[in-house]
């Protein structure tokens, strides 16, 4: 069965609290450390997306992430933040203000609802000490690129002053419309960059997802280097399949990460692959691969 983030994130709040700590998870972590126990170099700020590890109780994931040297667990909401703070973990990319991935800022009929939701959520993000908040373009539904840009600018301009006031950056994710998110509008870097330029604010940037953009346009290193000023956050994922980022897929992540470091990028790199093997072992392997 194909995993889907849209379904998974809906279940996260229920998994955050009250689940028993599995002894086997500690055993998995110990085995992981024995196999992949090298110290991290510190040139990449490592994060992990919560939804990919939905079967692991949240507090146990926090413990494991901390032991691995991961600094952030992302795509979490206010109900989970106190738990990750307990372990000294950041949330590099909070979520919770958006409707879904399909109904976004490119359609004016959603603007009032989205603006109200983001106006309420931005102060919560700031009060928690976080810097970013994810957002989405929404689906095309027959709309041209230009109309989508115009509509998105109108909707997002209503939020920019609030974002600037609270020092929170709204970050629109680039997703593929070929395999996972049919009809999604912000599916090419050039469209997202043009939106950044039209808004003209340092408080609106892009989430560059390597998995999604490899599917849509390739040329990953050149694109990142040319557009790093518009990128606030980066995601990983193996192509094809969105699984481990090791030798089983077509991208060589160490070279990509070296190119990212060379740009002077100081943001986070979030592991967002769906493990096919033991999840914590695969997660630590992913971190080690990216730790250049």
């Amino acid at each position: 069965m194909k995993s889907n983030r849209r379904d998974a994130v809906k279940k996260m709040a229920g998994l955050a609290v009250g689940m028993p700590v599995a002894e086997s998870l500690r055993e998995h972590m110990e085995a992981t450390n024995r196999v992949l126990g090298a110290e991290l170099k510190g040139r990449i700020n490592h994060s992990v997306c919560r939804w990919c590890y939905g079967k692991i109780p949240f507090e146990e994931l926090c413990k494991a992430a901390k032991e691995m040297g991961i600094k952030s667990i992302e795509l979490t909401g206010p109900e989970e933040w106190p738990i990750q703070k307990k372990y000294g973990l950041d949330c590099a990319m909070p979520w919770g203000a958006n409707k879904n991935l399909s109904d976004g800022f490119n359609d004016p009929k959603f603007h009032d609802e989205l603006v109200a939701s983001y106006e309420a959520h931005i102060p919560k993000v700031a009060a928690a000490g976080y810097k970013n908040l994810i957002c989405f373009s929404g689906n095309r539904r027959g709309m041209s690129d230009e109309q989508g840009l115009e509509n998105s600018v109108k909707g997002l301009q209503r939020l920019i002053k609030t974002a600037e006031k609270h020092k929170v950056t709204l970050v629109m994710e680039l997703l593929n419309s070929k395999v996972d998110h049919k009809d999604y509008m912000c599916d090419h870097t050039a469209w997202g960059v043009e939106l950044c330029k039209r808004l003209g604010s340092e408080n609106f940037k892009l989430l560059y997802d390597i998995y999604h953009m490899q599917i849509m346009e390739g040329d990953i290193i050149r694109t990142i280097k040319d557009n790093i000023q518009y990128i606030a956050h980066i995601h990983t994922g193996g192509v094809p399949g969105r699984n481990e980022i090791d030798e089983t897929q077509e991208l060589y992540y160490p070279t990509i990460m070296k190119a990212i470091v060379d740009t002077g990028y100081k943001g986070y790199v979030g592991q967002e692959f769906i493990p096919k093997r033991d999840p914590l072992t695969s997660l630590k392997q992913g971190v080690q691969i990216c730790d250049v």
Side-chain angles (χ1 to χ4, degrees), residues 47-72:
S47 181
V48 59
C49 293
R50 167 63 177 136
W51 75 273
C52 300
Y53 301 87
K55 293 182 179 179
I56 299 177
F58 187 60
E59 189 154 359
E60 191 67 19
L61 180 62
C62 289
K63 292 177 183 177
K66 187 71 175 179
E67 290 176 15
M68 290 181 199
I70 294 171
K71 297 180 180 179
S72 157

Side-chain angles (χ1 to χ4, degrees), residues 27-229:
E27 294 170 359
H28 289 165
M29 195 59 226
E30 289 170 2
T32 298
N33 286 331
R34 287 195 296 271
V35 175
L36 298 162
E39 291 185 4
L40 301 180
K41 297 180 178 68
R43 303 206 310 162
I44 295 287
N45 292 314
H46 297 283
S47 181
V48 59
C49 293
R50 167 63 177 136
W51 75 273
C52 300
Y53 301 87
K55 293 182 179 179
I56 299 177
F58 187 60
E59 189 154 359
E60 191 67 19
L61 180 62
C62 289
K63 292 177 183 177
K66 187 71 175 179
E67 290 176 15
M68 290 181 199
I70 294 171
K71 297 180 180 179
S72 157
I73 297 180
E74 61 184 87
L75 298 180
T76 59
E79 68 283 348
E80 293 153 312
W81 297 341
I83 300 173
Q84 57 198 94
K85 281 178 178 291
K86 174 182 172 183
Y87 291 91
L89 294 167
D90 195 0
C91 177
M93 190 57 60
W95 74 281
N98 58 292
K99 282 173 60 64
N100 50 56
L101 278 64
S102 303
D103 302 333
F105 284 97
N106 68 344
D107 194 329
K109 72 181 180 183
F110 301 122
H111 283 180
D112 287 348
E113 183 179 355
L114 286 169
V115 168
S117 180
Y118 276 84
E119 288 276 10
H121 212 71
I122 289 170
K124 295 178 184 178
V125 171
Y130 303 139
K131 305 298 185 184
N132 297 320
L133 181 57
I134 199 167
C135 66
F136 302 96
S137 67
N139 286 3
R140 293 176 178 275
R141 299 184 174 98
M143 192 182 305
S144 70
D145 279 350
E146 179 58 31
Q147 189 62 61
L149 283 167
E150 292 177 8
N151 292 343
S152 296
V153 168
K154 289 177 182 177
L156 288 161
Q157 276 180 334
R158 295 169 61 181
L159 290 170
I160 290 297
K161 286 185 178 179
T162 301
E164 290 173 345
K165 174 185 175 182
H166 291 281
K167 297 181 172 59
V168 170
T169 300
L170 299 173
V171 186
M172 184 171 285
E173 185 166 12
L174 293 154
L175 301 173
N176 83 76
S177 60
K178 181 179 178 181
V179 177
D180 299 288
H181 304 288
K182 300 291 185 181
D183 204 43
Y184 186 74
M185 177 161 272
C186 188
D187 62 350
H188 281 80
T189 307
W191 191 94
V193 167
E194 180 61 24
L195 181 55
C196 290
K197 290 178 178 179
R198 293 192 187 189
L199 284 165
S201 172
E202 285 297 306
N203 292 80
F204 180 83
K205 292 192 175 184
L206 302 175
L207 195 169
Y208 187 87
D209 190 301
I210 295 169
Y211 162 78
H212 288 297
M213 291 302 96
Q214 172 67 3
I215 290 172
M216 294 303 299
E217 58 193 26
D219 202 15
I220 298 297
I221 290 176
R222 186 197 308 271
T223 302
I224 290 174
K225 285 185 173 180
D226 288 350
N227 298 287
I228 195 65
Q229 71 192 91

